[in-house]
Amino acid sequence: MAKKDSNFITARESRRISRENAKITRALNKKLERKHVPESEYLTTMHNPDNVLEFDDLHTYFFTDVGTVKAVDGVSFDVPIGKTVGVVGESGCGKSVTSLSLMQLLQRPSGQIVSGEIRLNLGEKAYDVAKMPIEAMQKIRGNVVSMIFQEPMTSLNPVFRIGFQLDEVIQLHNPGMSQEAVRQRTIDAIKMVGIPDAEGIYNRYPHELSGGMRQRIVIAMALVCNPRLIIADEPTTALDVTIQAQILDLLRRLKGEINASIMLITHDLGVIAEMADYVVVMYAGRIIEKGLAKEVFLDPRHPYTIGLMESKPVINKKVDRLYSIPGSVPNPVNMPDYCYFRDRCEKCVARCQGKYPPEIHVTDTHIVSCWRYYDQTKRGDR
């Protein structure tokens, strides 16, 4: 008898999964789409008032006909005020889904925050974004938290002028401002990102600008309301090296000018090394290592992080072939209960045959999820 394919499901099983998923998503959507919800229901307290953002055991799932995809499966990390946190990992590891969960821009009804907290510091108070209704979230999105999307070249509407698109953001969050004040603020934002002839750019369409200028306009749109937190999702994708350097310098300068924090999402280790104060390494929906940038780069502990470092080309070092991590990421629908990286790891120990490893503190700020360091640290589950 031929062996049954583990990924094959019957039509009956598919219908059962669809019914269960529909029931879950209806319940979760109903919570978010409520109107006139009292603020007390999503008020919370920051664990550390020096953080602008705290992800606490976040679970974000996508409910599909073939099963549940655990895109973000228990992510916890902080973004301190005025600092840059770099989130790094290969495509599909959950970086962008984590940021979209914060912005409540998941593709519903299939994508949902199932559990966990996302605590956002507003100064005098803090909100749990995971519990906020859409009506309240619209006042936060683009105002307190803004996002530079992964495809900046196509983020601008081609049928509206640049000035109209920036004006719209300001008017949405400042309904009492006069049209002239809005226009002046837009022009100031265009100047702030280093584009000459701001008044001329105000009346142009996106297709009349170069790729680098469009990227700067998207950054201006994200900064025009002076947000407390900027999410930069692959901000240098599809740009040449010279423009990449200019964009990174721009982000670094503007962060200081408006005293904002940056959550920088990228797969480029060079960008992380140059920009980040803290580094979070993700793999298959979980954080496998995090700490200060100098700790993670100078003393990487997890075999996956070490593999990423070794696969990076080095100037003046000649090699016949760049290192590549063997194997592939496990099926996201049927994730194993042991370490997700075990089947690709070249440094396994006996304990790796057991359950998923806990977070182990190498130092007070450097944390790794790997059994190789469990006995060395003598700290166990933290």
Side-chain angles (χ1 to χ4, degrees), residues 162 166 186-195 198 201-202 217 220:
I162 297 297
L166 269 75
T186 294
I187 291 173
D188 290 342
I190 296 173
K191 290 178 180 177
M192 182 174 64
V193 296
I195 297 179
I201 296 296
Y202 182 92
I217 291 297

Side-chain angles (χ1 to χ4, degrees), residues 316-335:
N316 296 328
K317 182 180 179 181
K318 185 177 180 180
V319 294
D320 294 330
R321 184 184 181 90
L322 283 175
Y323 174 79
S324 63
I325 300 172
S328 58
V329 182
N331 186 339
V333 175
N334 299 307
M335 297 299 284

Side-chain angles (χ1 to χ4, degrees), residues 343-367:
D343 296 336
R344 305 178 67 185
C345 186
E346 299 172 340
K347 301 180 180 182
C348 284
V349 295
R351 204 189 291 267
C352 294
Q353 304 304 316
K355 63 180 182 178
Y356 194 92
E359 286 191 344
I360 299 165
H361 286 245
V362 180
T363 68
D364 290 339
T365 54
H366 192 181
I367 300 172

